Amino acid sequence: MRKKIKNFVALFLAVMLMVVIPINVNAASTTSRTITSSKAMSIALQPGKTGDSNEITFNFNSLPANAVVTEIKVDASNARNIGGMGAILAQSITITNPDGETKTATWGRGNVTKTTAFINDGARGTWSVYMTGRNIASPSSGPRFIGGVKYSSVKMTISYVLE
């Protein structure tokens, strides 16, 4: 009987150690790289109109071939108004990966948008971005209320793991 109790206690302790001290055999660490676009992203709209900015690109060709996306962040926080008295409400951002796959995300707070829409996609290559906005001035406001915004030094950060 004593031997059975000793065996049970030994087995119980072994199981507890396996639960308490997990061993992670395949721990992939996340790395990130940030690229600043050489062009500004700008939009100008008549009152009440919705439209798209110009498209800007980010060259991530220097990433390893086996880099796989975990998260994308686009920082367009360096913004200034251009044009008349109208105001542009940023609505969404559209991102295209190097394979030509396009996904749209809601514009982020503080002009910084994070998305995991491209998770597990290859990170290496040239990515492109444009935004969609709306001039919130009333359509009857007239041409003085043309609105515009220019986002300079837009940054894209790709967080990735190596497969």
Side-chain angles (χ1 to χ4, degrees), residues 24-37:
N24 192 349
V25 177
N26 189 15
S29 64
T30 302
T31 308
S32 65
R33 173 99 31 98
T34 301
I35 302 289
T36 302
S37 177

Side-chain angles (χ1 to χ4, degrees), residues 32-35 60 71-74 155-159:
S32 65
R33 173 99 31 98
T34 301
I35 302 289
F60 285 93
E71 182 182 68
I72 302 284
K73 178 174 92 170
V74 179
K155 296 174 183 62
M156 176 183 268
T157 301
I158 296 182
S159 298

Side-chain angles (χ1 to χ4, degrees), residues 97-162:
N97 72 8
D99 292 330
E101 183 181 3
T102 299
K103 297 193 178 173
T104 300
T106 302
W107 190 260
R109 179 180 216 144
N111 296 333
V112 177
T113 304
K114 292 182 180 182
T115 182
T116 56
F118 292 97
I119 197 163
N120 293 329
D121 286 359
R124 184 179 185 173
T126 300
W127 293 72
S128 63
V129 169
Y130 68 88
M131 60 85 66
T132 300
R134 177 173 177 76
N135 184 337
I136 59 174
S138 169
S140 61
S141 300
R144 287 187 8 204
F145 286 87
I146 292 173
V149 65
K150 179 179 180 179
Y151 302 96
S152 300
S153 303
V154 180
K155 296 174 183 62
M156 176 183 268
T157 301
I158 296 182
S159 298
Y160 63 91
V161 294
L162 299 179

Side-chain angles (χ1 to χ4, degrees), residues 79-110:
R80 71 178 176 91
N81 289 327
I82 56 175
M85 296 172 57
I88 301 296
L89 174 64
Q91 296 176 316
S92 63
I93 189 163
T94 302
I95 304 170
T96 303
N97 72 8
D99 292 330
E101 183 181 3
T102 299
K103 297 193 178 173
T104 300
T106 302
W107 190 260
R109 179 180 216 144

